[in-house]
Amino acid sequence: MRPKSDTVHVFNLTFLCFIALFFSSALGQGKIRRFKWEVKYEFKSPDCVQKLVITINGKFPGPTIKAQQGDTIVVELKNSFMTENVAVHWHGIRQIGTPWFDGVEGVTQCPILPGEVFTYQFVVDRPGTYMYHSHYGMQRESGLIGMIRVSPPVTEPEPFSYDYDRNVLLTDWYHKSMLESATGLASRPFKWVGEPESLLIQGRGRFNCSNDPGLLSRACNASNADCSRFVLTVIPGKTYRLRLGSLTALSALNFQIEGHNLTVVETDGHYVEPFTVKNLFIYSGETYSVLIKADQNPSRNYWITTSIVSRPANTSQATAVLNYYPNHPRRRPPTPESSNLQPKWNDTRPRLAQSLAIKARRGFVHTPPENSDRVIVLLNTQNEVNGYRRWSVNNVSYLHPKTPYLIALKQNLTDAFDWGFTPPENYDSGNYDIFATPQNVNAKTSDGIYRLRFNTTVDVILQNANTMNAKNSETHPWHLHGHDFWVVGQGEGKFNESEDPKRYNRVDPIMKNTVAVHPFGWTALRFRADNPGVWSFHCHIESHFFMGMGIVFESGIDRVSSNLPSSIMGCGQTKR
Amino acid sequence: MRPKSDTVHVFNLTFLCFIALFFSSALGQGKIRRFKWEVKYEFKSPDCVQKLVITINGKFPGPTIKAQQGDTIVVELKNSFMTENVAVHWHGIRQIGTPWFDGVEGVTQCPILPGEVFTYQFVVDRPGTYMYHSHYGMQRESGLIGMIRVSPPVTEPEPFSYDYDRNVLLTDWYHKSMLESATGLASRPFKWVGEPESLLIQGRGRFNCSNDPGLLSRACNASNADCSRFVLTVIPGKTYRLRLGSLTALSALNFQIEGHNLTVVETDGHYVEPFTVKNLFIYSGETYSVLIKADQNPSRNYWITTSIVSRPANTSQATAVLNYYPNHPRRRPPTPESSNLQPKWNDTRPRLAQSLAIKARRGFVHTPPENSDRVIVLLNTQNEVNGYRRWSVNNVSYLHPKTPYLIALKQNLTDAFDWGFTPPENYDSGNYDIFATPQNVNAKTSDGIYRLRFNTTVDVILQNANTMNAKNSETHPWHLHGHDFWVVGQGEGKFNESEDPKRYNRVDPIMKNTVAVHPFGWTALRFRADNPGVWSFHCHIESHFFMGMGIVFESGIDRVSSNLPSSIMGCGQTKR
C-alpha cells in the first residue's frame, strides 16, 4: 500500500504547487489589498430628509478603493440587512479569470443572504476610474455605491500631469424607498417612479423641505451634517484631477464648475485625446477624469453644480463649493447658485457632440479589428407584457433566471433557463418607424441569451426609438460587463446598415464600458468576445434594467474553470 | 455480477415500498389540500393610509386554510418579493414527522429566495384554530398572516354546537415600514418602534388622518374600500362560533361585542371548559373560539371592538359591526363607538383571572405527567449587549445562526453554531429582585441551544421582571413550536421553587402553544419532549423576539430522517 500512498502525496504536492502558481498568476504581481465591509441600512439625511440608506462601514457613499494596476482586491462583504439579500458589481473591472466575482445576481452569482459574509477577489488590471454598486433588484438606488481608483505602475506614467487627485461621485435621490419604487414599476396599472427629489454630489444634496408639506412629520433638517455641501478645496495655481462618476438611478447629468474649464483626459479607464468643455455631460455608469486648474481669482469660492438633462425634471440642481484655500470652506460664493447656466433639457445636439468628440488619446490607441464576425442590431423599445409596462430589446424583455447562468451553463442545468431560445439579432428595420408611437407594443419576456463564439469580433448597434408616449425618446446609457468596447459610431435617426458602417471610426475610437444611446439616435459598438464567462449588457438606468432592458452574452464558457466557488451557490438549483 | 445487481434491485424495491408506506402514513389518511400562493408587496390601505403590504394572491390577510383532521396541506409558496426572502410558520401545527416544514428561518430552514417556489407539506393532525405567518426578521408585521381552521372527523363531533363558523383575525398596524422599525431596534442609540398607529379587525382599521399632518402627502383616504369596516352578519337566533386569533406585532388586546356574551370553548386547538366573558383578553400568538348567540334586539347593529391593554398606548380602538340580518350591513349602530368600556390598561388582575379560568374541558382532559424530569427557569429581562438594547433569557440574548440548527445538527456541522454552550437553566433567583430596575443590564448573545432527552418531561418556568425602566414590566406571550404544553401554574411576583410547584394544576390544566407571562408574574409550563426536531420557543411580540427574547430546544434529532429536503438548504454551509 505504501507506494500508492506516496503517489497520492506526490499528486497532492503537484496539485498544491499548481494551485499556488495559479493563484500567484491570477492575483497578478501586485499587492493584495483587503477590505472588510459591513453593509446595512441606517437612517441618514443625504439631502436633509431622513431616509433609510445603505451604508458600508457606516459610510454613504462607500469607501473609495485605491489600488495600483495588478493589485488584487479582496473584499469581505458582510450582509447585515435584516431580510434582504445583496450582490455587488465592480463596474468597469473586467474580471479576467474571475467571471464568478462580477457580482450580478442571477448572472454570475446567487445573492448574498442576510448574516452571510461573501468574499470578492479580483485583479484590477488597468489604471483608471471605476465604480462599484449593488447589482440586485433596484438596490443600487438605496445607496450601495462607491468608487475605485487604479493608478498605473510607476514605470508607465499617465500622459498628463496634475497635483492632486479627487473623487466626485454623482447620484440622484428619491425620498421613497427602493421597495416602493420597484413595487410601483411591477404593478398593474403601472406606477412610474417619477423624477428624483434631489441630486447628490459625493452623497450630499439639499432638498427644500417647504416644497413638500408631507415631509413635516419626517426629519427634514437643513442643518443636518449629512447634507452639508460638499467642499472641494484647492490651492491656487495647482492642477486637480477630478474623477467624476455617475451612478444615478435615472438621470442624465450636466456638470459644471463656475469659471473653470474642464479638460477631459480619461473615461472608463481609457485615456482621451484631451478636449475642454464648460459643461460635461455624464450618464449613469460612466466615469470621466477631468483636469481643472485653480487659476481664477483666489479671493473667493466658486459654485460646482450638477443638473438634469434629457428629461423635463423639476429637480433642483445640486451644488457644491470649489473652495480656494485659504478662504473659509463654508464661505458662500458671491454669485448666485444659478450662475452656471443649465443646458436646455431637450437639446440633444450638444450631448451628441460631446459623445462624438471623445477619441482615444494619441499614443494610447487600441486599434479595433478591421471587420466584425457578427452584427447584432438591438432596437430599444417600451412595451407591454400581459398588461405590465416593460422595456424590451427586439421585442424581448429580459428576466433573470433563478439559477445564475454561469452556474447553469457550467453544470449543464438544462432547465435552469430557456437554452433553446436565442433572442433575435435584428428587428424589422425596413418597416419599423422609430419616430412613431408604436402600434403594437406587445413583447415577450425571456431569459434566453446570446452565445458568442470565443475570440470573435462582435458589432452591436443600439437603435433608439419613440417610447409609448408621442414624440418621446429617452437617453439609454448601455453598460457592458467583462469587456470594453470601441465606440465606432453614433448618429441621429435610424441606423443605415449599408451606409453607416462605412463611416465607422476605425482609427482612434475610444474604448468604454458604458455609452449613451441618444434620443431617436443610434450607437455602434465593436468588441472582442475574449473574456470567458457570462456577461450582462444592459441599460444602466435602474428602472429600465429592472423593467427588462438588457441582454446576456456568453462566450468561452468551456474555458471557465468547472470548480466554481461554492460561495456563489445557494439559489435555484444550487442548494446542497 | 448478476446476483449483486439483483440484490441492489431488491433493496431498491424495499426502499421504495418503505418510502411509499412512510408517505401514506406521514400524509395521514385524509385529503390532500393543495394551495398555490404568490406572496408579494402591494400598495394597500388597511387603515385608510396607503402602505406596502404583503399579500397572498392579492389578499391581506391571506386566505384561510380550511381542512379536516388528518388532511395533508400542500402550499406551493412563490416568493415574488424583489430583494427580500421569506419563510412561513404554521402556528400551532406540530409538524410531527415534518420538522423541516416548521417555517422558522435559521432554525428549520434557509429562507426562500426571491423568484423561488418552496413547497410546504404537513398534516393537520388535530381539530382547532391555528394561524400562519412569516417567521423571518420582523416580516410578519408587513402582513404575511392568515388563519388555519381544522375540523374534527365526522365520527368525533365537537362538544358544543353552533350554526355558523367565522374568523376574526386581530392585528396591530404601523405606518412605518418593517425595515424602518427593525433598523431602529438594531441601532445604537436604540430607536423604539413606538405604539401602533392602528388596530385591525380582519385586516381593516381606521386611522384618523387629521391626527398626523405628515400623512397629507401620502394617500390617506377614509373612503378607500380597503378600510371599510369589517361586518359580521348574523341571523337572529342563531349561534356563531367566532375563531379569534391575534397576530399583533406588539399589542395585548381586549375584544368585545356590544351587548353580547362570549362563551370561550376552545383555545390553541384544545377544548376549554366553557366560561363566559364580556371582555376577552387575547395575546399575540393565541387563538380562541368563542360562541355568541344572536339573541339581542334584531332591529339594530352592534359594535365589535378591540383595544390595547398592558401598554399605555394612545392607539384608538378598532371597530367592526355585528350586523343583524336583514338590517343593512353599513347601518351604523345607534350607540357611540365608545359604548364598549375599555378595561384599564395597567390593571393586570382581570387578565390574570382570565388566564387562571382557562381549564381543559371535562371529557377532553389530557392528564399531564405527574412529575417532570427537568426544570428550566427562564428569567425574562431587558438588557444591553455592547450598547445595543436587547431582551434576554437568563442573561443570554438569542441570535439565529446562519446555517439552520436542524441541518447543522443532522449533518454534524460543528462550527455552524455554538454547540459547546448550553444556556443557563436558572438565574440567581435567591438574590435577583424582579421588582427593581436592574443594576447590571449587560447580557451576552448566543446561538447555543437546550438539548432535551427524547420523551422526557420538561417544566419551564417563565419569570417576568422589571424592565430597564422604573416600575415597568411587560406582558410576554411565549409560543412553543412543535408541541403543546400544559399550563400548570401562573402567579404574581417571584416564583417560589419549593412552594409553587405544590399548587400546580395536575388535574385539568389546559394545553396551549402560546401563553402570557403577566407583568411581574410567572407562568409554569410542562411538556413532553416527544416530537423529534429542533423547536423555537420565544416571546411572540415581533420586536421582542427580534431583540433576542427566545431560546431553542432540540430533542430526538437522531430520529429525524437524515434525508432532509434540499429545498430547505441554500444558506450558510448548505450551498452546493
Side-chain angles (χ1 to χ4, degrees), chain A residues 41 52 82-85 113-116 136 179 183 214 217 402 411 546 566 569-576, chain B residues 41 52 82-85 114-116 136 179 183 214 217 402 411 546 566 569-576:
Chain A
Y41 281 96
L52 285 175
M82 258 73 72
T83 55
E84 197 175 319
N85 305 312
L113 275 69
E116 297 194 355
Y136 186 50
L179 184 57
T183 302
S217 70
K402 289 184 275 291
Q411 301 188 345
F546 181 77
S566 68
M569 311 291 179
C571 59
Q573 297 179 36
T574 70
K575 300 171 198 291
R576 193 163 69 173
Chain B
Y41 280 96
L52 284 176
M82 257 75 70
T83 54
E84 197 175 320
N85 306 311
E116 298 195 351
Y136 186 50
L179 184 57
T183 301
S217 69
K402 289 184 276 287
Q411 301 188 345
F546 180 78
S566 68
M569 313 290 179
C571 59
Q573 297 179 35
T574 71
K575 301 170 196 291
R576 193 163 68 174

Side-chain angles (χ1 to χ4, degrees), chain A residues 368-372 457-459 485-486 488 504 506 525-527:
Chain A
E370 188 69 22
N371 296 299
S372 69
T457 300
V458 180
D459 279 3
F485 47 72
W486 289 275
V488 290
Y504 281 170
R506 291 184 181 81
L525 321 174
R526 178 165 293 179
F527 70 98

Side-chain angles (χ1 to χ4, degrees), chain A residues 286-361:
Chain A
E286 286 192 314
T287 66
Y288 287 96
S289 286
V290 298
L291 300 182
I292 66 159
K293 185 150 195 208
D295 57 4
Q296 297 299 303
N297 176 356
S299 70
R300 54 163 287 195
N301 292 338
Y302 297 83
W303 290 112
I304 299 173
T305 61
T306 188
S307 62
I308 295 179
V309 290
S310 178
R311 299 184 62 89
N314 287 323
T315 314
S316 303
Q317 67 174 5
T319 56
V321 171
L322 185 74
N323 163 234
Y324 270 66
Y325 184 84
N327 297 315
H328 193 282
R330 297 265 160 254
R331 188 166 149 201
R332 202 181 160 85
T335 46
E337 290 187 34
S338 56
S339 300
N340 293 341
L341 282 180
Q342 297 186 9
K344 271 188 73 178
W345 74 266
N346 57 354
D347 187 359
T348 306
R349 288 168 306 172
R351 288 184 264 130
L352 178 59
Q354 177 185 306
S355 293
L356 292 170
I358 301 171
K359 311 281 185 208
R361 185 171 185 127

Side-chain angles (χ1 to χ4, degrees), chain B residues 350-365:
Chain B
R351 288 183 264 131
L352 178 59
Q354 176 184 306
S355 293
L356 294 170
I358 301 171
K359 312 281 185 206
R361 185 172 184 125
R362 267 166 274 171
F364 295 86
V365 174

